[in-house]
Amino acid sequence: MNKKIAAIDIANYVIWKAKNTYKVGVTNLKLQKLIYFIYAKHLADGNIKLFDEAIEKWQYGPVVPSVYHAFKDYGVYEINQTKSKFSLDSSSGKPVLKTEDFEPSIITLNSNVKCNLIDDELEKYIHKDAYELVEITHQHPMWAKDKIRIMSGEKNIQYSDEELLAFFKPTEFTFS
C-alpha cells in the first residue's frame, strides 16, 4: 500500500497512537508541534518529504494550516477522534464525494513512511506539555529569525525544507 500521504493522515496517526499506545490526549496546539518534529525527522533521515503541505511559522510555533483548520473546533481541548478525509471519485464518469475514515494501515503499511521514525518522535515528545513544545520550537533558529515578522502578524511565512534539513540533519564527522 503506497497511497499518497497527506498531513491529515499524519495528524490522525498521532491522535490514534497517542490515545491507543500512550493513553494521552492531544490538543491542536500539541498536535501541530508533533507533526513538525515528525516531518523534520523524516526529512532529515532520508531527504524524503512526508507530505506536500506547507508548515507555517505562527505565533505559537509551527502549524500545518490544513490540519489546524480540521481540528480547530476542539479549541484548547483534547481531540477525541480522528478526522475523515474527503475526495472526489470520478471513476464512474461522474464526480462523487467520497469519505475515507482513518485506518492506521495507511501509515503503517506505506513503504514511503518510516514508522519507526514517527514512533521515535512520539516517544520523545508525547508526554511534554504543549507549551513546552512551543518553547522548544521558538528556540529553533528558523523560527527565531522570523520572530519579529511573525509577532507583528505577518502571515504565510513557511518553513523551508532546506532550513529544516540544516537544523535537523545530523552532522557527519570525519576523522583524519
Side-chain angles (χ1 to χ4, degrees):
M1 175 187 292
N2 279 330
K3 195 171 186 181
K4 183 86 170 143
I5 298 297
I8 194 70
D9 297 319
I10 299 302
N12 281 333
Y13 181 79
V14 168
I15 293 162
W16 173 81
K17 189 81 172 185
K19 183 177 181 179
N20 292 293
T21 300
Y22 299 104
K23 310 297 185 216
V24 298
V26 176
T27 64
N28 202 353
L29 182 63
K30 186 172 184 174
L31 178 64
Q32 297 299 324
K33 305 324 153 233
L34 293 170
I35 293 170
Y36 163 79
F37 286 120
I38 289 166
Y39 179 89
K41 183 69 170 182
H42 204 274
L43 183 67
D45 187 71
N47 291 351
I48 299 168
K49 293 174 70 140
L50 195 52
F51 51 81
D52 289 333
E53 289 106 315
I55 301 175
E56 294 184 359
K57 301 173 186 180
W58 287 17
Q59 180 178 354
Y60 292 105
V63 171
V64 178
S66 63
V67 173
Y68 169 79
H69 291 296
F71 293 103
K72 69 183 177 186
D73 292 347
Y74 286 94
V76 299
Y77 300 102
E78 290 179 358
I79 299 166
N80 60 20
Q81 66 185 46
T82 58
K83 288 281 183 178
S84 297
K85 283 192 333 187
F86 300 97
S87 60
L88 286 177
D89 181 11
S90 48
S91 59
S92 66
K94 290 184 176 181
V96 176
L97 191 59
K98 184 172 88 174
T99 303
E100 293 178 49
D101 291 331
F102 174 71
E103 285 294 328
S105 62
I106 193 170
I107 303 297
T108 59
L109 297 180
N110 192 309
S111 64
N112 296 324
V113 176
K114 297 180 180 178
C115 273
N116 62 319
L117 292 178
I118 294 173
D119 293 343
D120 288 350
E121 290 303 287
L122 286 176
E123 184 73 32
K124 187 174 176 181
Y125 294 111
I126 197 72
H127 294 292
K128 292 192 181 296
D129 174 89
Y131 289 99
E132 286 179 84
L133 298 176
V134 168
E135 286 304 313
I136 292 168
T137 63
H138 280 189
Q139 293 170 16
H140 292 172
M142 51 277 197
W143 188 90
K145 78 177 176 67
D146 290 316
K147 180 178 180 177
I148 293 171
R149 294 171 56 205
I150 295 163
M151 299 310 265
S152 68
E154 191 173 328
K155 304 286 185 211
N156 303 314
I157 305 169
Q158 297 181 359
Y159 286 87
S160 73
D161 288 342
E162 292 75 23
E163 66 187 352
L164 291 173
L165 278 170
F167 183 75
F168 284 98
K169 188 140 182 110
T171 307
E172 295 181 26
F173 294 101
T174 56
F175 297 99
S176 312

